[in-house]
Amino acid sequence: MDKLSPDFMDDLRRLRVLREFRERGTVTATAEALHLTPSAVSQQLSGLSHDLGFPVTRRSGRRIVLTPRGDALLSHADVVFAHLEHARHDLQTWDEALRGTVTIGAFSTALAGLLPTALESLATEAPELVVKLRQSEPPVLFDQLDAGQVDLAIAVSFDGSPTLGDPRYHRVELGPDVLDVAVPASHPHAADRTIDLRDLASDAWITGSPNSCCATITATACAAAGFTPDVRYQVDDWLAVTQLVAHGHGVALLPRLAQRDLPPTLVLRPVARQQPRRHLFAAIPAGAQGSPLLQKILSHLTH
């Protein structure tokens, strides 16, 4: 039987660099994601090409792109990394006991609205399982997942999140998070059973920072209702949003995961007709889906 190359671990590192290059598209972006210099990334890619005996990248105009053989190599590398991940989790849970430590990375409203209940039931069923939490959002969240700094990521399907068929991850859909209209109790439409967004066309609006998920959802929903919202406040903290609404400074679309400990002078109403929503999912490294620890956590997140 052939022995593994003494440079096996170096080969894996360089394959990870190549895989990151496939996702990022440029040497500079790859270097930023891996905390390397562009020169170091270029050296890793050229060294891999040299040892393999064929180029894995080529120049196309001013850009560097994958060669067809480089792309084919990565399809095999995805399988290798998935098997390594499976082996790691298999050995960690050799005694079949649900003990160990799992780190979950998630955005703020998932930490507040989704995880407390799941962690409570987990503590009863698997008392020896230690769960750590880290607040993070894409794309940094998936850099942390790739680096092993988190074991499970919870995110919203939006810019910066991996695509549905990304071979690096096993993805589990967690369902929609519906957004309702938040208005001050003194608002003329506060007593309505549902609120037509067209009735809020002249109101001041509170959204997240430009190009954020909820800001984009708000803009899209208002456009479908036939107007552009007058955005006066761009705030990413949901506590601040609810306080601004409660004090009569504007209206907002508020995700149900963020509807906790609301001020008494804030009123929530469903959006008439089509309700805006964002879609949540959990992701773990491909190959890790056989882990009893991760399976247990995912089962509590989906029920």
Side-chain angles (χ1 to χ4, degrees):
M1 180 182 294
D2 292 336
K3 295 182 179 179
L4 289 175
S5 163
D7 297 325
F8 178 67
M9 295 306 296
D10 285 338
D11 293 340
L12 286 179
R13 292 189 189 97
R14 290 186 294 191
L15 283 173
R16 288 188 187 277
V17 171
L18 184 64
R19 190 159 71 152
E20 196 68 37
F21 173 77
R22 176 186 64 188
E23 304 306 322
R24 303 293 173 174
T26 68
V27 169
T28 300
T30 302
E32 291 176 356
L34 297 175
H35 305 291
L36 298 171
T37 64
S39 176
V41 169
S42 295
Q43 289 174 9
Q44 293 281 340
L45 297 178
S46 62
L48 182 61
S49 295
H50 178 270
D51 289 351
L52 290 171
F54 61 83
V56 295
T57 61
R58 64 176 178 85
R59 184 168 292 279
S60 176
R62 295 184 178 182
R63 299 180 61 242
I64 302 295
V65 299
L66 285 174
T67 64
R69 292 179 79 175
D71 191 52
L73 171 65
L74 281 177
S75 67
H76 294 290
D78 289 330
V79 176
V80 170
F81 287 123
H83 277 296
L84 288 172
E85 193 68 24
H86 175 74
R88 182 173 74 87
H89 285 279
D90 185 44
L91 294 173
Q92 283 180 342
T93 55
W94 190 255
D95 60 1
E96 298 183 358
L98 285 176
R99 66 169 65 96
T101 300
V102 173
T103 301
I104 300 175
F107 58 102
S108 60
T109 46
L111 292 174
L114 182 65
L115 283 166
T117 302
L119 294 180
E120 185 178 14
S121 57
L122 271 171
T124 300
E125 286 193 25
E128 294 185 81
L129 174 60
V130 177
V131 178
K132 295 183 178 181
L133 302 179
R134 174 182 290 194
Q135 182 176 334
S136 187
E137 297 191 17
V140 173
L141 174 58
F142 289 91
D143 293 340
Q144 294 168 344
L145 186 61
D146 293 340
Q149 297 169 351
V150 301
D151 302 296
L152 186 152
I154 299 175
V156 175
S157 292
F158 191 64
D159 292 346
S161 296
T163 58
L164 188 60
D166 194 312
R168 295 174 296 169
Y169 309 113
H170 172 71
R171 175 169 168 151
V172 177
E173 301 302 322
L174 300 180
D177 184 20
V178 174
L179 285 77
D180 296 311
V181 181
V183 299
S186 59
H187 195 279
H189 293 282
D192 296 354
R193 293 183 60 186
T194 63
I195 294 180
D196 191 322
L197 293 183
R198 290 177 295 184
D199 293 330
L200 306 179
S202 61
D203 282 81
W205 280 79
I206 306 163
T207 71
S209 57
N211 301 319
S212 66
C213 179
C214 287
T216 301
I217 290 173
T218 298
T220 301
C222 291
F227 70 97
T228 300
D230 176 13
V231 178
R232 304 278 184 88
Y233 306 92
Q234 296 175 336
V235 181
D236 288 321
D237 180 84
W238 290 114
L239 175 60
V241 171
T242 58
Q243 288 296 323
L244 287 167
V245 172
H247 284 79
H249 296 295
V251 300
L253 290 178
L254 193 66
R256 291 184 179 173
L257 283 181
Q259 296 175 16
R260 299 289 187 277
D261 303 320
L262 299 176
T265 53
L266 180 147
V267 173
L268 289 170
R269 293 291 182 262
V271 176
R273 297 192 300 274
Q274 187 172 358
Q275 292 183 306
R277 60 192 62 206
R278 55 184 186 172
H279 295 275
L280 314 181
F281 69 95
I284 58 177
Q289 54 266 42
S291 164
L293 302 183
L294 295 177
Q295 284 182 348
K296 177 61 69 174
I297 293 173
L298 288 170
S299 71
H300 282 260
L301 289 172
T302 53
H303 290 91

